[in-house]
Amino acid sequence: MKRILPFLKRYWGVLRRPSVHYSLGALTLGGFIAGIIFWGGFNTALEATNTEAFCISCHEMENNVYMEIKETIHYSNRSGVRATCPDCHVPHEWTDKIARKMQASKEVWGKIFGTINTREKFLEKRRELAEHEWARLKANDSLECRNCHDYEYMDFTRQSPRAAKFHSRSLGTGEATCIDCHKGIAHRLPDMRGVPGW
Amino acid sequence: MKRLLPLPLLLVLGFAIAADAPYPLDAPAPDGRRPGGTLTEEFTPPPLRDEENKDLRRERNYPEQPPTIPHAVRNYQIDINGNRCLACHSREASARTQAPMISITHFNDRDGQTLGTVSPRRYFCMQCHVPQHDVEPLVGNDFKDIDTLLYHESTSEEDE
């Protein structure tokens, strides 16, 4: 420790001294470029973790939820538009995105400690995980759904009468949000006892 | 004896192979539902149709008929975890959803006891209620409902 301290002191001295060899301009430019590289790298890393391939690189995600989504309309439909995991689970806003990524460290934790590493454990924990997602979507007024489906542009005359009736009654008034009625749109549901509306 | 056993077997088998099968193995399907097709031929299946989703309740042919489902039910989950149908058709939900409530027969168990909620034997709705598709029926049907029968009876009596 005693030997490190003077060493650090010397370096600090160097760092504090104004530059003699490089002009301020070059330094600023260098900093700028480094910034871009750093920022870009950060964003690239962020983008890479924003793909379905990344999500299902964990068997916990692939063997349970991914298998189930394959049967649903969000995996295959006549128009060929697909919703992938991040479309529904990762916010598009940058700050929200970072917040979700911080939250995702829980998943890394879960991976390491194997909280859902078998089908049985997953099924046991499913209600809890689903509740988190319901709460999140309820809180942001189903933002992820609305990124693709916008109430403003829904043509009720083209919807089935049943859908139009439910939507016009509750969406216009802001009484309910998508997730209130469309639980289990992409995956099988956990034990629904006590869930409002079930 | 044991060593002789294969012999008759061989004979029988030999005859079976030699004799022409009395019917063509590649016969057209007997049910008339695959016209021109034979058992070994494969057709491209007809395109899948969407479930009819007009939300108009259909007439029942007789009062005990389970009504057909007039709306889409794609991916509706019915299992130990939950019953999507009851989320709309149960007694508690029907006011909120304006869906017709399951009738009293759905509360009765097989001993005729009326239970507090849907009876287990009525839990799997799609055993009896089915959605419809807008396709040509494969087989014709000349079912006449009771009104048609009674009408004919009364008009033929008048004729006499």
Side-chain angles (χ1 to χ4, degrees), chain B residues 31-137:
Chain B
D31 52 10
R33 288 179 204 187
R34 286 165 289 180
T38 66
L39 289 174
T40 57
E41 258 179 85
E42 229 175 89
F43 281 117
T44 39
L48 289 174
R49 299 301 184 101
D50 280 339
E51 290 156 344
E52 225 179 73
N53 195 14
K54 300 202 185 99
D55 290 311
L56 292 172
R57 293 164 77 174
R58 297 188 192 85
E59 183 185 335
R60 299 181 212 180
N61 284 327
Y62 46 93
E64 306 90 340
Q65 182 206 318
T68 54
I69 305 173
H71 55 70
V73 290
R74 184 181 141 128
N75 275 330
Y76 280 13
Q77 187 169 337
I78 310 177
D79 61 13
I80 190 174
N81 288 336
N83 187 321
R84 180 75 182 272
C85 314
L86 287 177
C88 286
H89 286 282
S90 67
R91 181 188 61 78
E92 315 88 89
S94 64
R96 178 172 49 81
T97 60
Q98 292 295 303
M101 187 190 99
I102 50 173
S103 61
I104 182 68
T105 56
H106 294 65
F107 293 79
N108 294 346
D109 69 7
R110 62 177 174 187
D111 302 319
Q113 284 289 338
T114 305
L115 309 179
T117 181
V118 68
S119 147
R121 63 179 186 158
R122 289 278 169 112
Y123 189 79
F124 294 101
C125 318
M126 311 274 281
Q127 271 181 320
C128 306
H129 299 280
V130 287
Q132 301 289 302
H133 299 256
D134 191 12
V135 290
E136 277 293 309

Side-chain angles (χ1 to χ4, degrees), chain A residues 171-186:
Chain A
L171 285 180
T173 58
E175 190 181 290
T177 180
C178 318
I179 199 63
D180 287 326
C181 300
H182 290 291
K183 294 190 177 69
I185 187 70

